[in-house]
Amino acid sequence: MGLQDGNGASTYIIQTQEEEIKRIALELHEGISQNLYSLYTGLGFLETGIEEPRMKSYVKEMATLMERTIQEVRLLSVELYPNTLTTLGLISALKSYSKLYTSTFGILINVESSGVEKVMSERKSMAVFRVCQEALINIAKYADATNATIRFTWEEKSVKIQIEDYGKGFDVIEVMKRNEFTGIAAMKERMVLAGGKCHVTSELAKGTTVSIILPIQ
């Protein structure tokens, strides 16, 4: 199998996986999340009718747990498939994801965009979203950072993206030698299959930058 054939097979596999992931995400969002919210409002109604202090406190704790669970399910749903990607665009989808990400991990994400946002195919938009998502998850796991920035620069025929954190950084060459941070390889492969490039730089005590360039057409 040649390189072109291999890329075609990988692209097909990723697209098939994305379709199944989308189905599961919609079920989480439209089914499970809605059911949990109904239970949450029901607990709130019960709390107002209970007078015994210990039982009232217990129901309140259950409602708090339910609220946190709803938030986690919403984040999981957006992680699996951002339903605003095709309706509102890539920037809006990432901003929505970033809000849920911040509420879950406590890391503030600033999404910046310069130039006019261009319409990309869903496949390319999803590839960028997945790389940004992987970069943010790595920040939460390894960077020990309190904030990060996703910066888009839109040009006529391409878009440049930088995901920067201000955490502890790492030795990229050493990490690649030890085959750690497998997400780096996944990010690079996604961009290659989408027709773009992904490069990771990092410096100890100064943070990490993931740089992407992707042709729009």
Side-chain angles (χ1 to χ4, degrees), residues 11 14 24 29-30 48 58 64 84 97 106 124-125 143-144 152 167 170 185 212:
T11 301
I14 288 175
I24 295 169
H29 179 71
E30 297 177 1
T48 61
Y58 178 71
T64 300
T84 58
Y97 175 73
K124 288 195 174 190
S125 294
D144 193 22
F152 282 77
F170 61 95
I212 299 165

Side-chain angles (χ1 to χ4, degrees), residues 78-192:
V78 176
E79 283 182 333
L80 288 171
Y81 184 83
N83 57 9
T84 58
L85 188 65
T86 54
T87 56
L88 299 179
L90 181 58
I91 301 297
S92 293
L94 279 170
K95 285 182 176 179
S96 296
Y97 175 73
S98 295
K99 287 179 182 178
L100 290 170
Y101 175 93
T102 297
S103 67
T104 302
F105 297 108
I107 302 171
L108 183 63
I109 305 300
N110 183 34
V111 181
E112 301 176 357
S113 181
S114 63
V116 179
E117 181 177 358
K118 303 294 193 303
V119 177
M120 293 193 294
S121 67
E122 183 177 0
R123 182 173 70 87
K124 288 195 174 190
S125 294
M126 182 59 76
V128 173
F129 183 89
R130 291 297 187 216
V131 172
C132 291
Q133 182 182 47
E134 182 67 39
L136 292 181
I137 294 300
N138 284 341
I139 290 170
K141 286 182 177 179
Y142 308 113
D144 193 22
T146 58
N147 63 305
T149 299
I150 304 175
R151 185 176 294 106
F152 282 77
T153 303
W154 297 92
E155 299 180 350
E156 188 62 31
K157 296 183 178 180
S158 65
V159 59
K160 296 178 181 178
I161 307 112
Q162 284 191 314
I163 306 112
E164 301 175 344
D165 72 66
Y166 314 101
K168 62 186 181 181
F170 61 95
D171 186 325
V172 177
I173 295 175
E174 188 61 30
V175 163
M176 296 300 285
K177 281 182 180 178
R178 296 199 305 265
N179 200 29
E180 295 178 353
F181 287 28
T182 54
I184 294 177
M187 289 189 290
K188 288 177 177 289
E189 183 178 4
R190 276 191 180 274
M191 279 299 100
V192 168

